[in-house]
Amino acid sequence: MKRLDAYIARNVMGGTLLAMLVLGGLDTLFAFIAELDEIGRNDYGLIQAVVYTALTVPRRVYELFPTSVLLGSLLSLGALAANSELTAMRAAGVPIAGIVRSVLRAGLMMLVVVVLLGEAVAPVSEQRAQTIKSQASGEEMYRGSAGLWAKDGQRFIQVGAVMPDLRLLDLSIYELDAERRLSSMLRAASARYQDGTWILKNIERSRLNEAGVHAEHVDEERWPRLLAPELFNVLAVEPRQMAATTLAQYVTYLRENDLDSAHFELAFWMRFTTPLSSLVMLLLAVPFVFGSLRTGGAGQRLFIGLLIGVGFHLLNRTLNHMGLVYGLPPMLSATLPTLIFFAVAMLALRRVR
């Protein structure tokens, strides 16, 4: 049985890798073509575009993994069925449940690698990509583990998180005097760009002079200059690009400050449902290769796989947006598409003879 498990796993993994190379290659190519429009703006050149696109590859691999698993398993298992190898396995006494277990074992091994890629590699490389783009825009900025750092004259700005809706969280501002000595420190819970000005809230300020340190608290202040709002396209990291641990911290912060956290909660739960949906895709592939597709060609299996993949993607996006609009629990919005396709897969498996 171990040899059979290894043989099935080798075929499933090989098919998934091939599908990933094709889908990931096309997605990366289209992304690079889109970046060509940015070349020539300030210091953003061809080399920066190539590096930026390359750094986004881990995130693209993570997002394309469920579809790649579906297509790869349909093609590889379909080839085994077309060559009567699956029929020979069943004739040798291997039940369908045994074949399904072998397929799922292969899926779990791939799942571990992809989760590590999505949680440890992709967020870091995505941040580095955004840093390259922001530096090419001409601004003195650096994004690291402590957040975003920017320099504006004698003012140094540190931002814990840059939100896509022109909002900054956990903001610290350090100002130097003419002799480059620290003259004041400011910490704000949040800052939002609105009507041409920045609105800072829940401010703690400390002024340093020869007499000592003077501290004060201000509920709200308006600043005409802080960060250029047009930089948000390259500074903001989308919730879906963040690691689960980072999303959990942001959700906690937003809740403590009575801010809307639905987008981040949804992205948090999707960090779990996205890899798990790949196992559901494997379950969906098995009934097809034992049914009408066992005598079909690769083109037919590819077409069916694309239909299922697109259907899952559309259902997933639709239910996600409906959940945000109608205030459904983010966990339900994230898990419902996977649960629906899991139920379909189990019903289809029960009908396999």
Side-chain angles (χ1 to χ4, degrees), residues 4-216:
L4 180 62
D5 288 342
Y7 182 69
I8 293 176
R10 187 165 60 249
N11 279 272
V12 172
M13 289 180 178
T16 300
L17 180 60
L18 178 61
M20 178 61 71
L21 288 174
V22 174
L23 293 178
L26 288 174
D27 189 39
T28 303
L29 176 61
F30 292 146
F32 176 70
I33 292 173
E35 288 301 312
L36 294 179
D37 293 335
E38 302 290 327
I39 292 177
R41 297 182 181 180
N42 297 313
D43 295 327
Y44 194 69
L46 180 61
I47 295 178
Q48 286 85 354
V50 171
V51 174
Y52 173 83
T53 305
L55 288 171
T56 63
V57 169
R59 187 252 304 171
R60 300 180 191 280
V61 170
Y62 180 81
E63 293 177 346
L64 290 170
F65 180 61
T67 304
S68 299
V69 166
L70 174 63
L71 294 177
S73 58
L74 278 175
L75 292 173
S76 58
L77 294 177
L80 294 180
N83 295 329
S84 300
E85 293 181 67
L86 293 182
T87 303
M89 293 177 192
R90 297 186 65 188
V94 180
I96 292 178
I99 296 175
V100 171
R101 281 195 298 269
S102 299
V103 171
L104 290 179
R105 286 193 186 102
L108 285 173
M109 287 188 286
M110 293 187 293
L111 186 63
V112 171
V113 175
V114 169
V115 168
L116 290 175
L117 180 69
E119 291 298 314
V121 179
V124 176
S125 65
E126 198 72 28
Q127 285 190 353
R128 180 56 184 163
Q130 300 296 343
T131 299
I132 289 174
K133 208 166 191 179
S134 63
Q135 289 176 343
S137 67
E139 295 291 326
E140 298 184 61
M141 296 186 180
Y142 170 77
R143 186 190 295 274
S145 59
L148 173 74
W149 284 89
K151 182 177 182 296
D152 179 25
Q154 297 293 92
R155 179 189 297 165
F156 292 86
I157 305 167
Q158 190 266 330
V159 182
V162 183
M163 302 298 157
D165 58 348
L166 297 181
R167 186 171 63 204
L168 310 175
L169 300 181
D170 195 14
L171 181 71
S172 298
I173 302 175
Y174 306 90
E175 293 191 22
L176 306 180
D177 58 20
E179 298 179 359
R180 302 188 65 82
R181 294 179 300 184
L182 184 65
S183 61
S184 70
M185 296 181 296
L186 179 148
R187 186 178 180 87
S190 64
R192 184 163 189 169
Y193 189 77
Q194 184 176 347
D195 298 330
T197 60
W198 285 95
I199 303 175
L200 281 65
K201 294 188 176 182
N202 196 13
I203 301 168
E204 299 290 342
R205 178 187 283 110
S206 298
R207 300 184 187 276
L208 289 74
N209 51 43
E210 296 180 355
V213 179
H214 173 68
E216 63 176 340

Side-chain angles (χ1 to χ4, degrees), residues 309-324:
V310 170
F312 177 79
H313 178 74
L314 291 177
L315 178 64
N316 197 30
R317 294 293 298 271
T318 300
L319 291 179
N320 291 165
H321 287 295
M322 287 180 62
L324 293 174

Side-chain angles (χ1 to χ4, degrees), residues 265-321:
E265 290 184 62
L266 178 62
F268 173 78
W269 289 111
M270 289 188 69
R271 300 300 292 187
F272 298 96
T273 58
T274 296
L276 289 177
S277 64
S278 62
L279 298 181
V280 175
M281 296 297 106
L282 283 173
L283 289 176
L284 275 172
V286 174
F288 281 104
V289 299
F290 278 111
S292 60
L293 291 188
R294 65 184 170 197
T295 58
Q300 185 181 1
R301 291 190 289 271
L302 181 62
F303 178 71
I304 293 296
L306 288 174
L307 283 181
I308 296 174
V310 170
F312 177 79
H313 178 74
L314 291 177
L315 178 64
N316 197 30
R317 294 293 298 271
T318 300
L319 291 179
N320 291 165
H321 287 295

